[in-house]
Amino acid sequence: MQNLDDKFVIRTQGLCKTFSIGGVQQHVLNNLDIDIAQGDFTVIMGNSGSGKSTLLYALSGMDRPTLGKIIFDGQTITDFSNDRLAKFRRANCGFIFQEVFLNDNMSIMDNVLAAGYLSGRNRKQVYQEACERFQQVGIDKEMFNKFPSQMSGGELQRVGLVRAIINEPKVIFADEPTGALNSANSIAVLDIMNKLHLDGKSILMVTHDMRSAIRGNRVLYLKDGVILNEIKLGNYDAEQEKERLDTLKAFLDEMGW
Amino acid sequence: MRSIIKSHFHKGKIGFFITGLFIILSVFMMIIGLSICLGMDGLYTNARILSNSPDCWISVFESIDGETLPLFKNILDNREDVKNYDVQPIYYLNSQGNEDRENQLRIFFNPNDKTSYTFFNSWVAMNIDDESNNYKPHLRNCVKKDGYRIYLTGNFIETSLVDVGDEFTFINNGKEYKGYVAGIYDDMSRIYYTGNFYVDGDLYQEIAKLSLEDEDITYEYNINIEFNLTSEKANTQAQYEIRNVLINALTQYNEERLAKDPTAPIIDFSYSMREDFKTGTRGFILLLGTAMTAFAIIVAIIVAIVIAFLVRSNVLDEVRNLGVWKALGYTTLQLRLSYLAIYSVINGVCILVGTCLGIGLMPTFVHIITNMARLDCSKAIGVNVGAIFIAILLVVAVVASVVYLATVRVKKITPLSAMRSNLETHSFKKNRAPLSSSKISVNAHLGVKSVVGETHRSVMVVVIILIMSLLCSFVSVVYYNLKVDQTAIINMSGIEKADYYIGFYYEDSSPYYDAISKMDGFEADVVIARASGNIDGDYAYGLVYENFDHMRTNFLYKGRYPKYANEILIEESYAKSKGWNIGDTIILNMAMDAQKSDKSLVIVGSFQNILDNARFMGYLDILDELYDLDEYWHKATHLLYFEKGKMPTFSEINYVLRQVAGGPVQLNGFESGEHRIQSSILDIVGTAADAVMSVFFSITAIVIALLLVMLVRLKLLRERRNYAIYKALGYTTAGIMSQIAVAMIILGAIGSIIGAFVGALTTSPLLSLFGGFIGAWHFDFVIPWGYTVGIVFGITLLIYCVSMLCALPVRKIAPAEHIKSL
């Protein structure tokens, strides 16, 4: 029988997160129990302020829950010190943000290598891999030494993608990755993510965009800090995009979105 | 406009705070430094008033009822520049040279302490309780105990093992008069006369009684003279002039006596003026004042660099807002003036604080300075209004011009360009130090990238650290040569560093010199004497040597030592002022020479003399018409030289001499050359060196620490989001802190290496360039490379510690807070 920790890359138990804003306690996550399966492309949806991003950052070890336990790849990361968490993140997590958050003072290659060299792998190998990944996302060698301010939004998000996967993370966390992109660039980025998913990567994405959400095989709906419901869509197939969109729309309508 | 100024203020609090501290430091130091430099003349005038010192005094070696007193009184009565003079009766107790009076009339300090007792067998007693003395000195550090009281000069206390409260015993005919050192008396004109003691009225009366039956206690007189010239320059001229007048009068008087009776003894006198004190202390006080002013100017330059960096960075960060304001109708001038306004406010507040600090701390600094000069006159110099004015003007001009120039970029910002995400303002032409070529740790490499990526900041840090380390290196070279290896400063002192200076009171001292010459390692003994006379009509004083064959102090500046009796060395400053060169001939006439024979001497070289204790040096033969050389030889001071490593101790020489004498020896001075130099110059300059060294090093540490605090805090503010991303990617807090520290260390190391080494190499040339005013024309200082390397390591270590401490808030950067949107 398969061990649960082998099946689920992330599991939470009684996850709570409370913020104190102006002396008022705000419970953003309420006693959440979630399991994220290995190899799933999980999408978290919900209204603004529902706690989507908070959940994403808590699961990735970037933020600490107020209460509860997070078991990531069999390790209870909620017990880790900040430094151990940092080292854990560099080995297991890849991040894609809406604003990309590249360092403006470094070339795009350096932005990727700054993450890649942390893994402690052979540097030549990391560099080669970065070059290959750039090629895969459509960024040519001539652009490697360009700075973020010299690139378009779509190109930047692809750089972000390369940075997210350079260390072969167990899970890629994506926070509104297409939020700042136009339609064409959004599709290009989502296509890459789907390809990564098909290659076996676990992806956890927060979005409020239905066209992005249908790229996942599982959609969780978060409301007032609890998972209200979820829907399984199966692996993405471009030809079934309309059906997937309808199914998701019906699900979201039901959730009161 | 007010809202723009407020916006600038809120965004740059740390920068403003640190800049403000620099401005305060600069203003405060400049006010004190300039006040000292500009108030030098006032210092001596006020110190004279505060210590109630006469401008000069004459001590005549003749009984008070002799003929010279009316002679001098007549001269002084007829001078318009003499405000007042006082005849001060004194007792001169002298048992030296009298072999039958061993232990007679001597005064012993700490008589029961075998290791630190000091005695005088020739000394002067003055009455401190004499209310008729208009120049009764200012007393300080007074203590009360049982017994007779005696008061000593601050200089004697500092350079001897005697302290206030110590016991003394005055012995005569087996009777002991016991008492204690009751305090210090401040008298500028007597400060270097260690054998002149003020005693209380009771002891003075006891001595008076003894004098009636003891011919070795003579009732003599001093004349204290005060001029009515308020100008320090005129007063100084009068001090020199009256010396010449008195010398000429006494010479004439002696001539007349000798004409009547060729066997009559020549009446001599000693003359002292507060100008001697001025000459001995002016150099290092001016050095301290100049050093503080120079440091203040350097801090002002640092203020300029920091402000230029802050304003420029702010303009770059605020391109969008500036564009918006322009769109709203603000003109370029208004926006530039908004920066000027905020810095004017900060400048104004800090100048006020700096001025208050300067005024408040001035007495403390003056106290330190006058204490080093062995006086206690904390009110001798007040804050100079001109100094305040100059300091304010300079700082205002620096800040205003730098702010205005640094905002020139505002001109180029247009509303449209600002809205286009600053594209015009960010130009990254080259990816410097790419990570792909890195061979070092990622954190270290990111530190390197930060150095090459932020060139303006990097240049600013390097320049500031370069300046500070250059100064530290400069000061450390000076310190090393004043305190550790004093060869160079001794060479400039004009004092020969023989192993011993010794003299006897015997008519025939040759048995003693014979005994010394038989000691192991003996090399030579050379007679040295002080001489004063007129050179081309001007009074000049000098030193004459039996020969120059064994000189260990190389005080030559140009030329060579005299080889023949008709050759002479002239002090370089004096030669320059007279326009004399090597090969010129001068006419020397010994002042006390009754025959008035002129000697024609050829200048063969010049020497350096920061003590100003000699203007010429020549052969002893210059004196041969005044003294019988053979007789003189026995009582004169001799320099003793021993082979290297074979110099005997005091006790060893004393033992040999006692064997010859068969008991105590009648010595007319016996001290090591090292001690003579130490007490003459090194004690004073050493104290100044300690003070300058500690002030410079402390301020350097403060400036560098403040600079780093500002830079690291600014960096944390600006790079907060990047550090959050780094943390998200898996960088640890320690890793990010080390990135910051590495960047600072690189800049610090570059700045300190260049600064320290350039400073070390340029110290001697720079000092030689400016040292002429204290009589030092050629500095040949040893470069202490160990110190130089130490400065580099010290500054780098300081930078590491401060930047790591300042980077501690990285711990609090939570990645999620800076990235997520709820």
Side-chain angles (χ1 to χ4, degrees), chain B residues 381-399:
Chain B
I381 319 177
V383 171
N384 188 301
V385 180
I388 297 178
F389 182 71
I390 294 170
I392 292 175
L393 199 71
L394 186 80
V395 174
V396 167
V398 165
V399 173

Side-chain angles (χ1 to χ4, degrees), chain B residues 393-451:
Chain B
L393 199 71
L394 186 80
V395 174
V396 167
V398 165
V399 173
S401 54
V402 169
V403 172
Y404 196 74
L405 289 173
T407 52
V408 74
R409 215 183 175 88
V410 175
K411 267 188 203 173
K412 294 180 184 170
I413 298 170
T414 63
L416 201 61
S417 66
M419 300 306 133
R420 286 178 186 156
S421 306
N422 316 346
L423 278 183
E424 282 85 348
T425 61
H426 286 85
S427 172
F428 300 101
K429 286 175 184 166
K430 199 175 174 192
N431 180 25
R432 294 194 182 98
L435 263 171
S436 51
S437 62
S438 170
K439 304 277 183 231
I440 54 177
S441 84
V442 189
N443 284 314
H445 195 98
L446 289 174
V448 174
K449 278 192 81 76
S450 150
V451 170

Side-chain angles (χ1 to χ4, degrees), chain B residues 57-124:
Chain B
W57 57 278
I58 324 161
S59 183
V60 184
F61 300 124
E62 190 191 41
S63 171
I64 196 165
D65 51 4
E67 293 174 16
T68 48
L69 183 55
L71 174 75
F72 289 130
K73 275 186 164 185
N74 187 41
I75 292 169
L76 297 171
D77 284 338
N78 288 307
R79 282 187 70 94
E80 286 183 359
D81 57 0
V82 174
K83 180 183 175 186
N84 188 26
Y85 70 88
D86 245 11
V87 177
Q88 184 187 10
I90 59 158
Y91 283 102
Y92 179 48
L93 300 91
N94 179 23
S95 64
Q96 65 184 5
N98 190 340
E99 293 171 46
D100 300 330
R101 303 209 65 182
E102 174 62 21
N103 267 358
Q104 298 292 304
L105 302 180
R106 290 187 177 188
I107 186 162
F108 287 84
F109 293 97
N110 296 319
N112 302 318
D113 187 338
K114 285 183 180 171
T115 56
S116 68
Y117 85 91
T118 307
F119 76 87
F120 289 82
N121 54 11
S122 165
W123 57 288
V124 168

